[in-house]
Amino acid sequence: LDPTVNSLCDVECEDGFYLNDNSFKCEERGDRLTYSWAQMKGTAACIAVCCGSPKAAKNVLQPSSGICYPHTYTASCMDGYTLDGKASGITTQSIQCLMSGAYQEVKDCRPVSCGLCEKRMHSTVDNPNMVRTLHESCHHTCNQGYTVNAEINGPSNFDDVCQASGRFTDIFSCKPSKCGTIVQIEFSFAKYKIVEVGFETCAFNNKSVTCVNVTGTPGVVVYGEEV
């Protein structure tokens, strides 16, 4: 304190606070000819340092308004994101406004990983050794003789998509293509009668042939193979 009469007192705020107002001083009272004394008068106010609006972080939801020291706020990962990229990972972090007027570091949230593509029967997948994360897909192609809807000319490709749960969608699969009605197919000097669905045995003169992706048009075949 400065003991000089009518001069302001020196006020020092604690860390994390700054002097906002100071009228605190030593004031003379009474009559110097008879009796006088000194008395402290006025006020001093220390205000907390504020950090302003938080800076943006990847895939993180944060408040738009700022807070002041020593308070904290909760930063949350967007749906499908965690701090470590695991579906079971932590999705929130507590961020404090520091006495310096800056926030603690906000970590980016990482997309949930679904791992490697799951194997689907009777199909191959693009880039099987590549890990997929949120919204990325595994593109499957059905093997010859199989389609998604079991129709001869049906779609032969489908996608499994990585979800926020850390699992792939499991909606489609490859089914044996139907050979349709009985038709006569000619190969060189032999005739093969198609009587069952794709990749099942068909009879011909005590021999067997493989029913392979026959079109729906009688008398026309895309593939035929004697076993």
Side-chain angles (χ1 to χ4, degrees):
L1 295 177
D2 186 344
T4 305
V5 173
N6 292 326
S7 62
L8 293 175
C9 299
D10 291 331
V11 178
E12 183 177 348
C13 298
E14 294 181 353
D15 290 341
F17 296 82
Y18 66 93
L19 185 62
N20 182 62
D21 180 64
N22 183 17
S23 61
F24 199 44
K25 64 182 179 179
C26 177
E27 190 175 81
E28 183 180 7
R29 293 295 181 91
D31 186 348
R32 290 185 179 182
L33 296 178
T34 56
Y35 178 73
S36 66
W37 69 93
Q39 180 175 320
M40 303 303 295
K41 184 181 179 181
T43 60
C46 289
I47 304 298
V49 171
C50 294
C51 291
S53 299
K55 293 182 178 180
K58 290 182 179 179
N59 311 311
V60 179
L61 299 175
Q62 302 184 88
S64 57
S65 58
I67 58 174
C68 300
Y69 173 81
H71 297 292
T72 62
Y73 72 86
T74 299
S76 303
C77 294
M78 295 179 179
D79 186 37
Y81 296 83
T82 64
L83 293 178
D84 61 2
K86 297 180 180 179
S88 59
I90 298 172
T91 59
T92 61
Q93 47 188 318
S94 181
I95 307 300
Q96 183 183 26
C97 175
L98 304 175
M99 63 179 64
S100 63
Y103 285 108
Q104 286 180 306
E105 180 184 3
V106 182
K107 297 179 180 179
D108 294 337
C109 292
R110 300 166 57 186
V112 166
S113 172
C114 289
L116 298 178
C117 295
E118 298 177 3
K119 293 182 179 179
R120 300 286 186 229
M121 293 288 289
H122 313 302
S123 70
T124 57
V125 63
D126 294 347
N127 300 316
N129 296 321
M130 185 179 78
V131 171
R132 265 65 165 189
T133 58
L134 183 67
H135 302 318
E136 293 182 338
S137 62
C138 300
H139 186 69
H140 295 269
T141 301
C142 295
N143 294 340
Q144 183 176 304
Y146 293 83
T147 61
V148 175
N149 61 1
E151 297 297 329
I152 292 297
N153 296 317
S156 59
N157 300 278
F158 65 92
D159 292 329
D160 286 339
V161 183
C162 180
Q163 304 174 95
S165 63
R167 296 179 178 274
F168 289 105
T169 54
D170 185 9
I171 302 174
F172 303 105
S173 63
C174 294
K175 303 176 181 64
S177 299
K178 298 176 182 178
C179 287
T181 57
I182 296 176
V183 294
Q184 294 288 336
I185 308 299
E186 293 189 7
F187 290 98
S188 185
F189 301 103
K191 291 184 178 181
Y192 298 86
K193 181 176 289 187
I194 309 302
V195 295
E196 298 292 344
V197 298
F199 280 108
E200 292 190 11
T201 302
C202 303
F204 167 69
N205 293 341
N206 298 322
K207 294 184 178 181
S208 63
V209 296
T210 302
C211 213
V212 185
N213 196 23
V214 181
T215 68
T217 304
V220 179
V221 68
V222 177
Y223 300 99
E225 179 180 351
E226 182 176 356
V227 178

